[in-house]
């Protein structure tokens, strides 16, 4: 018979994973089989720098958490060794880092994930990874906002130059 402390610890672990699934902007599930220790360490470092939490979890524990978080469709990808990246703030970071790392290291396979509370497949994760970073999006927005002011300034300068030329 299982020890009551062990059962309680497992229940607490399920509650923690359930909370992370609910609170994360993006959760990405990956198969890390075939990566050596140095590669996993490098991947963890990149994810940590981006504020992404990366954990290797037992599939049975994650299945219970997905049931509690009402994300049971994710259970389809919970086969074999599973690592999960949780990001509460940046929705693009875990997808981008894991996809880029998978391009360089064929052993890492992205299996699917959860974006804004919806279970998504590999294709959606890759599409999310192809989006520009938050900084890139902000610079594009700034450029769009500056364009009318810049065009107005150029028009005023052209009118002023024309006035000077005719005078």
């Amino acid at each position: 018979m299982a020890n009551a402390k062990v059962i309680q610890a497992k229940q607490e672990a399920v509650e923690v994973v359930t909370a992370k699934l609910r609170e994360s902007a993006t959760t990405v599930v990956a198969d890390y089989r075939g990566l050596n220790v140095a590669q996993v360490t490098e991947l963890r470092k990149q994810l940590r720098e981006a504020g992404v939490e990366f954990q290797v979890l037992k599939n049975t524990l994650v299945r219970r958490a997905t049931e509690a978080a009402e994300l049971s469709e994710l259970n389809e990808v919970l086969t074999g060794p599973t690592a999960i990246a949780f990001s509460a703030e940046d929705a693009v970071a875990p997808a981008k880092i894991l996809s880029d790392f998978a391009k360089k290291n064929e052993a890492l396979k992205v299996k699917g994930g959860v974006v804004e509370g919806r279970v998504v497949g590999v294709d959606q994760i890759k599409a999310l990874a192809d989006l520009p970073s938050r900084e890139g999006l902000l610079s594009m927005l700034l450029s769009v906002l500056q364009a009318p002011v810049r065009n107005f300034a150029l028009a005023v300068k052209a009118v002023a130059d024309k006035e000077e030329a005719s005078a």
Side-chain angles (χ1 to χ4, degrees), residues 19-56:
K20 286 180 185 177
L21 284 168
R22 286 183 178 147
E23 296 166 2
S24 293
T26 301
T27 302
V28 179
V29 179
D31 182 348
Y32 63 94
R33 265 185 295 204
L35 293 178
N36 62 35
V37 175
Q39 291 169 324
V40 172
T41 303
E42 176 61 27
L43 177 60
R44 285 182 185 272
K45 178 179 176 258
Q46 289 177 18
L47 290 165
R48 191 177 325 108
E49 288 172 354
V52 178
E53 187 175 345
F54 187 70
Q55 293 182 323
V56 174

Side-chain angles (χ1 to χ4, degrees), residues 1-165:
M1 183 159 165
N3 187 343
K5 288 182 181 179
V6 172
I7 292 172
Q8 182 180 357
K10 287 182 180 180
Q11 287 173 341
E12 289 172 2
V14 168
E15 290 171 10
V16 168
V17 174
T18 301
K20 286 180 185 177
L21 284 168
R22 286 183 178 147
E23 296 166 2
S24 293
T26 301
T27 302
V28 179
V29 179
D31 182 348
Y32 63 94
R33 265 185 295 204
L35 293 178
N36 62 35
V37 175
Q39 291 169 324
V40 172
T41 303
E42 176 61 27
L43 177 60
R44 285 182 185 272
K45 178 179 176 258
Q46 289 177 18
L47 290 165
R48 191 177 325 108
E49 288 172 354
V52 178
E53 187 175 345
F54 187 70
Q55 293 182 323
V56 174
L57 299 166
K58 290 190 172 209
N59 290 332
T60 52
L61 185 142
V62 178
R63 281 190 189 100
R64 290 182 186 206
T66 58
E67 296 293 331
E70 300 174 1
L71 297 167
S72 55
E73 304 91 40
L74 192 63
N75 291 346
E76 295 174 14
V77 298
L78 297 176
T79 57
T82 302
I84 303 179
F86 300 99
S87 177
E89 292 94 33
D90 191 350
V92 178
K96 184 177 277 306
I97 293 169
L98 287 171
S99 292
D100 289 348
F101 198 85
K103 288 176 187 172
K104 297 174 192 164
N105 302 282
E106 293 179 10
L108 182 70
K109 305 269 188 278
V110 175
K111 298 197 248 181
V114 180
V115 178
E116 299 294 335
R118 278 189 21 244
V119 176
V120 297
V122 177
D123 295 335
Q124 289 95 340
I125 295 292
K126 288 184 179 177
L128 184 63
D130 291 338
L131 290 175
S133 67
R134 183 176 190 275
E135 292 78 20
L137 288 172
L138 288 174
S139 70
M140 285 184 218
L141 176 65
L142 184 61
S143 175
V144 168
L145 293 175
Q146 284 180 339
V149 175
R150 183 175 46 245
N151 291 342
F152 178 72
L154 290 172
V156 169
K157 184 175 182 328
V159 169
D161 290 345
K162 186 177 179 183
E163 293 288 321
E164 284 179 20

